[in-house]
């Protein structure tokens, strides 16, 4: 039986020269979702890709696309990402002027709605919206780059999210992103993380199947 833990490889550390093959490889290796890191050079100091590439990724796989927007004013681009085939669209609370409006627009366009918190942003910021979320993404590095070290001070926030989920019967997945390797995966899972995002730990490994298995079973 497949464990409850989901693994979402972030293509940020894949070889973009052969993105299709990379996606097929993680798909065969047991990935549950494909995590797409969209960065605009404003909300974070890095630039990656937008809806055009997400649309191509969608044609390459039947796995759900877990699209992590690290962009200012995400409201403006929700429709484009829906059309590109995003299944879960996650915005940063710090980038939204009206999170309620953003969440309802994402849902009205048929996607699952996620909200992400930078390591320093407290859970209190999103408390009023938790009941409406399908996914809560807790960043364990400062968003922007792959290959950074896990910030363990976010673990109490993961625990708090899990406690609230149980108490109030909320439905969101608790996802953690940044610096995940077998060691930190274990800590994150223990705290309550249900979806593990990993770029380096998977795409820099020789054997993707083994890397995914090690994270899932950590
Ligand atoms: C960082 C991104 C992450 C990143 C994770 O801003 O949101 O998804 O790709 O990379 P690793 O797993 O290498 O820390
Ligand atoms: Zn991410």
């Amino acid at each position: 039986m497949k464990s409850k833990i989901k693994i979402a490889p972030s293509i940020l550390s894949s070889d973009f020269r052969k993105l299709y093959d990379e996606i097929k490889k993680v798909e065969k290796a047991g990935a549950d979702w494909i995590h797409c890191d969209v960065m605009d050079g404003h909300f974070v100091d890095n630039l990656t890709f937008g809806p055009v590439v997400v649309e191509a990724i969608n044609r390459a796989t039947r796995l759900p696309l877990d699209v992590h927007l690290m962009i200012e004013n995400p409201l403006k681009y929700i429709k484009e990402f829906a059309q590109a085939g995003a299944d879960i669209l996650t915005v940063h609370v710090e980038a939204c002027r009206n999170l309620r409006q953003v969440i309802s627009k994402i849902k009205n366009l048929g996607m699952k709605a996620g909200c992400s918190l930078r390591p320093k942003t407290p859970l209190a910021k999103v408390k009023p919206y938790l009941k409406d979320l399908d996914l809560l993404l807790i960043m364990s590095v400062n968003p922007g780059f792959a290959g950074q070290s896990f910030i363990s001070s976010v673990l109490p926030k993961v625990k708090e999210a899990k406690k609230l989920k149980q108490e109030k019967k909320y439905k969101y997945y608790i996802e953690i992103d940044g610096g995940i390797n077998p060691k930190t995966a274990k800590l994150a899972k223990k705290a309550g993380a249900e979806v593990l995002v990993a770029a380096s730990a998977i795409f820099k490994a020789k054997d993707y199947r083994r890397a995914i298995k090690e994270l899932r079973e950590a």
Side-chain angles (χ1 to χ4, degrees):
M1 204 180 83
K2 224 174 179 185
S3 79
K4 264 170 53 196
I5 297 289
K6 291 191 190 297
I7 307 294
S10 159
I11 56 156
L12 194 55
S13 293
S14 71
D15 184 345
F16 277 85
R17 184 179 41 168
K18 44 178 186 174
L19 185 55
Y20 178 83
D21 299 340
E22 293 277 67
I23 290 168
K24 286 298 166 204
K25 265 173 83 180
V26 286
E27 192 179 294
K28 285 202 187 90
D32 297 285
W33 298 348
I34 300 293
H35 186 84
C36 304
D37 285 308
V38 174
M39 305 186 191
D40 67 351
H42 292 277
F43 181 73
V44 291
D45 273 341
N46 197 3
L47 269 173
T48 56
F49 51 82
V52 173
V53 173
V54 172
E55 193 268 334
I57 296 168
N58 188 42
R59 280 186 284 126
T61 182
R62 285 160 84 173
L63 291 180
L65 299 190
D66 172 31
V67 179
H68 178 190
L69 298 185
M70 285 159 274
I71 65 174
E72 294 288 358
N73 195 12
L75 187 64
K76 198 172 158 189
Y77 298 99
I78 295 173
K79 199 169 162 207
E80 276 83 347
F81 284 101
Q83 286 166 346
D87 294 280
I88 307 161
L89 195 64
T90 298
V91 298
H92 267 266
V93 59
E94 306 88 356
C96 294
R97 249 170 282 146
N98 186 341
L99 186 56
R100 199 167 298 285
Q101 186 188 9
V102 169
I103 293 171
S104 62
K105 186 158 182 192
I106 293 174
K107 289 188 167 179
N108 288 339
L109 288 166
M111 297 176 286
K112 300 229 179 284
C115 184
S116 181
L117 306 174
R118 281 185 174 134
K120 284 213 168 121
T121 304
L123 194 62
K125 265 245 156 176
V126 291
K127 264 199 188 142
Y129 314 97
L130 288 176
K131 69 169 176 22
D132 301 317
L133 290 179
D134 300 297
L135 182 125
L136 180 69
L137 171 49
I138 296 177
M139 289 303 298
S140 41
V141 296
N142 285 307
F145 298 90
Q148 304 181 76
S149 308
F150 185 79
I151 300 172
S152 56
S153 56
V154 305
L155 290 170
K157 190 158 59 181
V158 177
K159 280 190 195 142
E160 199 187 340
K162 183 189 174 183
K163 193 166 166 258
L164 272 172
K165 178 177 170 169
Q166 285 173 338
E167 277 173 14
K168 310 263 187 184
K169 303 207 177 355
Y170 290 148
K171 60 179 186 306
Y172 53 76
Y173 283 108
I174 302 173
E175 182 176 57
I176 191 144
D177 183 5
I180 293 294
N181 56 41
K183 230 183 182 168
T184 56
K186 194 173 178 173
L187 303 174
K189 276 158 69 174
K190 205 170 155 221
E194 301 155 320
V195 186
L196 309 176
V197 176
S200 319
I202 295 173
F203 286 105
K204 299 290 177 204
K206 275 212 185 86
D207 183 340
Y208 294 177
R209 173 173 290 278
R210 187 168 169 183
I212 288 175
K213 188 167 183 270
E214 278 175 4
L215 293 178
R216 207 190 295 283
E217 293 173 1

